[in-house]
Amino acid sequence: MSFNLRINNATNIIKEINAEINAILNKIKSTIPRDYTAKLTGQNQQMKESFQSLQFALILSLVLVYMVMAAEFESLWQPFVILFTFPLSIIGVLFGLWVTRTSLSIMVILGIIIIGGIVVNNGIVLIEYVNLLRTRSNFKLKDALIEASHTRLRPIMMTALTTSLGLIPLALGFAEGAEIQIPMAVTVMAGLLFSTFLSLVIIPSIYITFEDSLSWIKNLIRLPLSAIKKAPSEEIASVAPRVIHLRQAQ
């Protein structure tokens, strides 16, 4: 842990030096001729490019996870509800980095990318059982959510705890050369544990909110359509009494 703190201090010092150099370059840019440029390159530029590529990888991973879940659930809004577990994990990541005094680095972003594919498992297990109860057992929405949260609590806790406990040796840095991977282990552990506990409360609430909103939108759309369908029958009813039936002359 002391080695990790030394790395964080060195990283903070490098950031301060880069900020001072950029401030000096901004001051002298007006005195430099147009044909010349002055900028900070080398490892600083490589770090920026690495962060940009990792951000793209994170966005792409979330998009692919959403596409796979949309194909499996045959729905567009249920995978979106499950993806709410990812912002919940970010809360745990920030708390874990603050407790361990770990600065943001490439290894932390790699841990966040790993979390994007792990934390959705809890939501998948929960929502899949809710759909099963509603289709096969004819449960109401709230009853299905309560039953699913109670039944799936043990599998969700087992998967989260086994993954977190397996990362403890890496987070403590027992192995030789594992100090570099400590931020990634801390990120995955903190994000997974926080998202596990928060998803059992927040995901059912979001599911109910989406279900109520969709039902309200469907009812709002059905009202004009029902009025259009009833209009011809009402016109025929209004014209029918005015029709005079004449007998055929013999």
Side-chain angles (χ1 to χ4, degrees):
M1 189 64 70
S2 61
F3 182 79
N4 190 22
L5 292 176
R6 289 198 296 270
I7 291 178
N8 294 333
N9 293 331
T11 304
N12 293 329
I13 293 172
I14 293 173
K15 289 181 179 179
E16 292 176 359
I17 293 173
N18 290 334
E20 293 178 359
I21 294 174
N22 288 324
I24 295 172
L25 291 176
N26 291 328
K27 290 180 182 180
I28 66 174
K29 276 183 179 180
S30 59
T31 61
I32 297 176
R34 295 181 178 179
D35 297 335
Y36 296 90
T37 57
K39 62 181 180 179
L40 187 62
T41 59
Q43 292 184 354
N44 183 51
Q45 185 177 2
Q46 293 177 359
M47 289 178 62
K48 289 182 179 179
E49 293 176 355
S50 300
F51 274 106
Q52 291 177 357
S53 61
L54 288 174
Q55 290 175 2
F56 175 75
L58 176 60
I59 296 172
L60 182 61
S61 64
L62 293 177
V63 171
L64 292 176
V65 169
Y66 175 83
M67 292 172 63
V68 171
M69 289 192 298
E72 292 294 331
F73 283 96
E74 296 181 355
S75 173
L76 295 178
W77 66 273
Q78 289 184 357
F80 187 73
V81 173
I82 296 173
L83 282 178
F84 268 92
T85 55
F86 182 74
L88 299 178
S89 65
I90 298 298
I91 298 173
V93 169
L94 296 177
F95 181 77
L97 296 178
W98 176 71
V99 170
T100 58
R101 297 180 182 179
T102 303
S103 60
L104 185 64
S105 61
I106 294 176
M107 300 304 295
V108 172
I109 298 179
L110 284 175
I112 294 174
I113 294 173
I114 295 172
I115 287 175
I118 296 177
V119 295
V120 295
N121 295 334
N122 299 332
I124 291 172
V125 171
L126 183 63
I127 300 302
E128 188 271 336
Y129 194 65
V130 170
N131 294 335
L132 186 65
L133 291 175
R134 295 184 68 187
T135 54
R136 295 186 180 181
S137 302
N138 294 325
F139 272 68
K140 294 183 179 179
L141 177 59
K142 294 183 180 179
D143 296 335
L145 288 170
I146 294 172
E147 181 66 22
S149 300
H150 178 73
T151 306
R152 295 301 190 186
L153 176 62
R154 182 178 295 179
I156 289 173
M157 295 298 297
M158 288 172 63
T159 54
L161 291 177
T162 51
T163 305
S164 300
L165 293 175
L167 290 171
I168 287 179
L170 187 61
L172 296 176
F174 288 150
E176 185 177 355
E179 293 85 0
I180 300 176
Q181 299 176 355
I182 288 176
M184 182 179 65
V186 171
T187 301
V188 175
M189 287 178 60
L192 184 59
L193 291 175
F194 267 74
S195 65
T196 299
F197 290 106
L198 293 177
S199 61
L200 293 172
V201 178
I202 296 179
I203 295 301
S205 303
I206 297 174
Y207 191 97
I208 293 174
T209 303
F210 268 81
E211 187 74 19
D212 294 340
S213 301
L214 288 175
S215 61
W216 180 78
I217 293 173
K218 288 180 181 178
N219 293 329
L220 190 65
I221 295 174
R222 286 175 183 174
L223 290 176
L225 294 176
S226 60
I228 293 172
K229 290 180 180 179
K230 291 181 180 179
S233 60
E234 292 177 355
E235 292 178 358
I236 293 171
S238 61
V239 174
R242 300 179 185 178
V243 177
I244 299 174
H245 299 280
L246 299 176
R247 294 182 178 180
Q248 187 176 2
Q250 297 180 353

